[in-house]
Amino acid sequence: MNTRLLQISNYLYPNIGGIEQVARDIAGAVSELPEFEQKILCFNETARDGDIVCNRKETVRDRVDGVEVIRCGCVTKQASQSISLTFGSELKKLMESFRPDIVIFHYPNPFQCIFLEKYLKNQARYPFRFILYWHLDITKQKRLEKLFRAQTIRLLERADQIVATSPVYIDGSPFLSRYREKCVVIPNCISTARLAVTESIREKAARIRKQYEGKILCFGIGRHIPYKGFTYLVQASRYLDDRFRILIGGKGPLTEELKAQARGDEKVVFLGRLDDEGLIAHFVAMDIFCFPSITKNEAFGIALAEGLYFGKPAVTFTIPGSGVNYVNRKDETGLEVPNGDSKAYAEALIRLAEDPELREKLGAAARKRVEELFLTEAFRRKIRVFLTQGERT
């Protein structure tokens, strides 16, 4: 008899984000298990990629990587949380007809949990193994955290197992640390296929190096939002001399503010959104990877693992309870400085610039750490073992 797996995620590809990618990676791993059937339930959000076109207000069914995805149309958002009029009915259909043996719930998602709790309370009729996949604590929306605190505790109590992305996050979370006996660590992963270096990419990287010939290239990438900390990277540039170029990829609500902050500083260059080829070319061309996130909202750092994969050291801030300092190991794969200290960040960049042997040593260790812990193959193996051997507590 087949094992039926249901994942409940915020969104899914072609919407791009950390949670969405993890859900997709899990689906890819499970697809290799012939005894499993699976479906994914999520909100809809406007996005497109090739033949997949999503419109926020529509409730639709489609397939991603061969897996059926039910996308629930959304009418509005509150505190970054999608609100859907069809989610409850779609979940009911799945519970009654698909009858999952395992439910993976990607946290945080308070609205979806309101409906899921009905089935968690009636485990006699719906005897599924409940896996709470904990991506991050709610830290930014303080009112939301207080409002749903009781709900979160109930989730943790009812979970058969809790997946965390790093041991550091378990230790630093006021929630997970109370339930560590239920916790299993499965680090996020990066795709080597996506990051493959083609001849075209090598040529583009060479052009970047030539454009900034003789400069130490410090590259950072991510959405321009507060917790990503790019304002501190721009501030750090003030303490650097003209040997350096700070290349910042991505866009977001803070882009124009960051540009205004950097006005007159020719060392800071904004690249805008980069496609995969442009991203990889900058990874290849860079000397140092800059990852200036400042809060636990950065629970792991997929982009950080990607940067380290290219054998270059990273500079990060110390973020208590965040997996960032698990991915980048202080003085092993890169350097770490006090949180929000732009001058210390600049001093770390200068130290790496003036010590090529240290850069090479840290970069080699960075590549090795990613290959051992954070590649797709390792993730898929751990997920398959976890799902097939794990038992309800």
Side-chain angles (χ1 to χ4, degrees), residues 135-152:
H135 292 272
L136 54 94
D137 296 352
I138 299 176
T139 58
K140 183 180 177 182
Q141 296 102 339
K142 297 296 184 183
R143 291 181 180 177
L144 195 65
E145 190 273 333
K146 290 180 180 178
L147 179 63
F148 290 104
R149 187 178 185 84
Q151 180 195 77
T152 299

Side-chain angles (χ1 to χ4, degrees), residues 169-181 183:
Y169 213 90
I170 295 173
D171 294 337
S173 167
F175 294 103
L176 296 190
S177 59
R178 295 170 55 186
Y179 296 89
R180 63 175 69 248
E181 73 282 355
C183 291

Side-chain angles (χ1 to χ4, degrees), residues 326-338:
Y326 169 73
V327 178
N328 182 42
R329 300 294 291 270
K330 182 180 180 181
D331 299 328
E332 180 183 328
T333 62
L335 302 182
E336 183 183 314
V337 300

Side-chain angles (χ1 to χ4, degrees), residues 356-372:
E357 290 184 4
L358 179 61
R359 291 207 309 271
E360 185 176 349
K361 175 186 174 183
L362 296 176
R367 171 83 179 206
K368 181 180 179 183
R369 180 167 176 77
V370 173
E371 288 178 337
E372 290 177 348

Side-chain angles (χ1 to χ4, degrees), residues 54-313:
C54 295
N55 296 302
R56 175 188 293 184
K57 295 184 178 181
E58 297 178 355
T59 296
V60 297
R61 286 167 169 76
D62 57 30
R63 303 187 80 84
V64 174
D65 303 329
V67 177
E68 183 180 8
V69 181
I70 301 95
R71 305 180 194 266
C72 299
C74 298
V75 293
T76 187
K77 281 191 176 185
Q78 296 292 330
S80 301
Q81 172 74 62
S82 290
I83 306 298
S84 170
L85 299 180
T86 59
F87 180 84
S89 60
E90 293 297 334
L91 178 60
K92 181 178 180 180
K93 290 176 189 176
L94 287 166
M95 286 298 178
E96 298 295 343
S97 60
F98 185 55
R99 298 196 67 82
D101 301 295
I102 303 173
V103 173
I104 298 178
F105 182 74
H106 293 275
Y107 179 94
N109 209 318
F111 178 84
Q112 291 177 339
C113 185
I114 292 171
F115 296 93
L116 179 62
E117 279 201 286
K118 169 185 174 182
Y119 304 97
L120 288 170
K121 291 176 182 177
N122 193 357
Q123 287 278 283
R125 182 174 178 182
Y126 306 99
F128 56 84
R129 173 180 161 200
F130 179 47
I131 297 171
L132 184 59
Y133 211 111
W134 193 278
H135 292 272
L136 54 94
D137 296 352
I138 299 176
T139 58
K140 183 180 177 182
Q141 296 102 339
K142 297 296 184 183
R143 291 181 180 177
L144 195 65
E145 190 273 333
K146 290 180 180 178
L147 179 63
F148 290 104
R149 187 178 185 84
Q151 180 195 77
T152 299
I153 296 297
R154 291 194 300 271
L155 276 180
L156 290 160
E157 290 284 348
R158 290 172 177 148
D160 295 300
Q161 288 144 317
I162 303 163
V163 177
T165 56
S166 75
V168 175
Y169 213 90
I170 295 173
D171 294 337
S173 167
F175 294 103
L176 296 190
S177 59
R178 295 170 55 186
Y179 296 89
R180 63 175 69 248
E181 73 282 355
K182 292 185 178 184
C183 291
V184 176
V185 175
I186 302 180
N188 291 342
C189 68
I190 64 173
S191 169
T192 54
R194 173 176 171 263
L195 299 175
V197 180
T198 64
E199 187 58 35
S200 172
I201 288 173
R202 288 191 186 92
E203 292 173 358
K204 185 171 286 189
R207 290 195 295 271
I208 294 169
R209 292 298 316 181
K210 186 171 181 59
Q211 179 181 358
Y212 300 105
E213 192 170 2
K215 306 297 183 184
I216 297 292
L217 297 187
C218 305
F219 175 55
I221 182 75
R223 289 186 64 211
H224 299 173
I225 52 180
Y227 79 80
K228 291 291 185 180
F230 284 111
T231 185
Y232 298 97
L233 181 56
V234 173
Q235 289 173 11
S237 179
R238 300 173 186 171
Y239 301 100
L240 302 174
D241 58 42
D242 197 53
R243 287 176 297 172
F244 293 85
R245 286 297 179 269
I246 308 295
L247 309 182
I248 300 176
K251 285 188 175 181
L254 296 183
T255 298
E256 294 309 313
E257 184 178 323
L258 290 169
K259 287 181 177 179
Q261 182 183 348
R263 191 170 293 126
D265 186 349
E266 295 183 356
K267 299 187 298 298
V268 180
V269 180
F270 291 92
L271 305 171
R273 285 196 177 93
L274 297 172
D275 59 19
D276 280 353
E277 187 169 284
L279 172 66
I280 298 166
H282 282 85
F283 278 145
V284 173
M286 71 183 177
D287 296 297
I288 304 166
F289 187 58
C290 296
F291 197 79
S293 292
I294 55 170
T295 78
K296 280 178 60 184
N297 286 76
E298 194 70 80
F300 184 83
I302 290 290
L304 174 58
E306 289 179 339
L308 295 176
Y309 175 72
F310 285 87
K312 310 293 173 66

